[in-house]
Amino acid sequence: MFRALPPVLARPSGAIRTCVLLVLLAATGTAILELVRQQTGTPGFFVGLALALLPVPPLMAAFRWLGRAAPAPWPQLLFCFGWGACTAALIAILANSFATQWIAAATTDPSDADQLGSVAIAPVVEESAKAAALLLVFVFRRRHFTGPADGFVVAGFTATGFAFTENILYLGNAFGEDVMEGTGVLDSVTAATFFVRIVLSPFAHPLFTVLTGLGFGAAAVSARRVRRTGLPLLGLALAMGLHALWNSSALFGEYGFYVVYGCVMVPVFGLLLYLAVRIRRRRLRAVAGELAVYASAGWLGPAEVPALASMPARSLARSLARRSGGRAAGRAVARYEADAAALALLRNRARRGGAVREPDFAVRERELLRGLWLRRATAGPALARAAVMEELLPPWFDPLDLRPSGAGAAEEGAGAGTGAALPAPVPTPRRPEATPSHARPRDSRPAEARLW
């Protein structure tokens, strides 16, 4: 009886999960837009929408740049943005309104209720709602959640979507207030709100949620169950604390906002920016180191490895492929680059954590190697040419040496020193070795007979 339960309680298929999430995003998106329009009025809604759109492309481009070493699929990133803009925003506005009304009824002081709600309730509700998107990706798209860089990117897109909807609400309300009072543009509440939320602190919500994303990213590379559970909770707690400090800056006096902004927000932003650049460089070094094993085994050309570890060379290779073979060739090179980076990071995690961290290493490795093999005829020459044009090849590189030199040694080194933790090494593809011209037997037949 009990043996029949697992098939019945099995996970729904990917198509079903996708449909459910799309319906959820559509429903919550429609609800939050109508709710915001009712609070701001139709003119205020469109003014807020136009102004709130301004910081979205730069923020998305910045987080996309961070993840370019091993890019996440665009549908996943758009889902995170939609979750933040629709579902998380709806949860936050409903929960915050309910909590504020309950506190006001309990304390009979609306001003205290607003302050307590913004400091104690809003950070918990909003960061938890945004963290739900990270949890969904972490559980159901674990293949694309491989470390701190992915946590950085997923959290950034989610928080950018949330800030977008929140900015519509604040800017729309400010515009409605200015219309009622007939305030000029320079002295308007809209201009002040725009300056604070769009110019000074467009990174505020991404800054909070990135701390949660780093917790999930650290959990993704941890083999211990305690850390996989505790690190995301620690990141979420830090995000709530920083969010509460930011919201309470108005309670610290006339210059409280500037003190918190200059002494806390700016230094934390600088620290996370430094960490993001460091994570990106470390990822590219891992790509170079792990792909060298596959190049030694003959799966990649020696000139491809330095090109795949350089973002300018990758971009140049895509441009060269599009110029010679059209958009289809450019897409093939982009897919080749993404698969190569995913393969390198997969092997890096397996080498460090073994079967505990990557139980399906062999299957996933075969999938990625097959993808590389299918596109190598198009991507290989473009990457090799990009490596030459970017001057990435070392002085000792010999382009005429076509032998997979060191294949056996590479395979031995791949399996040595790690015991049973590392999966089996990559088999070397069969490649014909070039025969020197002086070692070939001389053909004494007439020239006419040699044609046959």
Side-chain angles (χ1 to χ4, degrees):
M1 173 181 176
F2 293 102
R3 292 182 179 179
L5 288 178
V8 176
L9 300 177
R11 280 185 178 183
S13 65
I16 295 177
R17 290 199 302 265
T18 301
C19 292
V20 170
L21 290 176
L22 288 177
V23 171
L24 176 63
L25 291 180
T28 55
T30 303
I32 189 63
L33 289 178
E34 178 61 22
L35 191 60
V36 171
R37 190 195 66 80
Q38 290 179 1
Q39 292 193 17
T40 61
T42 302
F45 173 80
F46 284 106
V47 170
L49 177 65
L51 296 177
L53 274 173
L54 296 178
V56 172
L59 288 172
M60 294 178 69
F63 287 109
R64 183 64 173 171
W65 171 87
L66 174 61
R68 288 296 295 173
W74 266 112
Q76 176 179 302
L77 299 180
L78 293 178
F79 159 75
C80 293
F81 181 86
W83 180 277
C86 302
T87 309
L90 181 63
I91 294 173
I93 195 171
L94 293 178
N96 289 339
S97 300
F98 173 79
T100 302
Q101 292 175 3
W102 180 80
I103 295 173
T107 61
T108 67
D109 190 346
S111 62
D112 288 346
D114 290 338
Q115 294 177 359
L116 184 60
S118 65
V119 175
I121 305 299
V124 176
V125 171
E126 294 176 7
E127 296 306 322
S128 299
K130 289 182 286 183
L134 280 69
L135 180 62
L136 290 174
V137 176
F138 185 81
V139 172
F140 295 105
R141 287 292 183 267
R142 186 65 177 271
R143 177 178 291 184
H144 301 296
F145 207 125
T146 59
D150 295 309
F152 226 113
V153 175
V154 171
F157 270 78
T158 305
T160 299
F162 185 90
F164 167 67
T165 302
E166 191 178 67
N167 286 336
I168 296 176
L169 180 62
Y170 278 90
L171 290 167
N173 285 333
F175 179 79
E177 184 178 345
D178 290 332
V179 170
M180 291 180 60
E181 296 182 358
T183 310
V185 176
L186 296 180
D187 299 329
S188 64
V189 180
T190 305
T193 305
F194 179 85
F195 179 75
V196 172
R197 300 190 64 88
I198 307 300
V199 178
L200 281 184
S201 58
F203 56 85
H205 273 287
L207 194 66
F208 309 144
T209 314
V210 158
L211 297 175
T212 308
L214 290 176
F216 275 102
V221 297
S222 178
R224 297 183 179 181
R225 181 174 299 179
V226 176
R227 292 183 178 179
R228 291 201 303 268
T229 304
L231 290 174
L233 294 177
L234 176 61
L236 179 60
L238 292 175
M240 292 177 180
L242 187 60
H243 195 160
L245 179 62
W246 173 250
N247 285 358
S248 63
S249 61
L251 306 178
F252 297 155
E254 183 179 358
Y255 300 101
F257 170 81
Y258 300 101
V259 171
V260 173
Y261 181 83
C263 298
V264 178
M265 298 294 288
V266 173
V268 173
F269 174 77
L271 177 62
L272 290 179
L273 181 61
Y274 166 78
L275 185 61
V277 174
R278 186 179 179 85
I279 290 173
R280 188 174 188 264
R281 290 178 178 176
R282 185 177 179 180
R283 220 175 196 192
L284 290 174
R285 286 197 299 268
V287 168
E290 301 298 339
L291 289 184
V293 177
Y294 295 95
S296 298
W299 287 98
L300 300 173
E304 296 177 35
V305 175
L308 289 168
S310 169
M311 300 310 299
R314 287 195 200 181
S315 177
L316 178 59
R318 294 192 297 270
S319 300
L320 293 173
R322 283 193 297 268
R323 194 179 306 167
S324 60
R327 293 183 179 179
R331 288 193 296 268
V333 174
R335 181 66 181 273
Y336 186 89
E337 294 170 350
D339 286 347
L343 177 65
L345 297 177
L346 175 72
R347 188 173 187 85
N348 182 263
R349 294 191 304 275
R351 183 171 55 80
R352 293 165 55 190
V356 176
R357 188 177 298 170
E358 293 296 335
D360 59 342
F361 170 80
V363 176
R364 178 61 175 157
E365 184 189 44
R366 291 289 181 180
E367 294 177 1
L368 293 171
L369 285 173
R370 176 172 174 78
L372 294 179
W373 178 76
L374 290 174
R375 300 175 183 87
R376 186 177 177 186
T378 301
L383 287 166
R385 187 180 175 190
V388 173
M389 296 176 68
E390 291 289 329
E391 299 181 353
L392 300 176
L393 301 179
W396 47 262
F397 177 76
D398 184 6
L400 299 180
D401 187 7
L402 301 179
R403 296 172 298 172
S405 58
E411 291 184 0
E412 279 185 325
T418 57
L422 181 66
V426 180
T428 306
R430 296 180 179 179
R431 299 181 62 186
E433 294 189 2
T435 305
S437 58
H438 61 79
R440 297 172 185 165
R442 187 182 298 274
D443 194 347
S444 58
R445 295 178 298 168
E448 295 81 4
R450 295 177 193 171
L451 299 175
W452 307 100

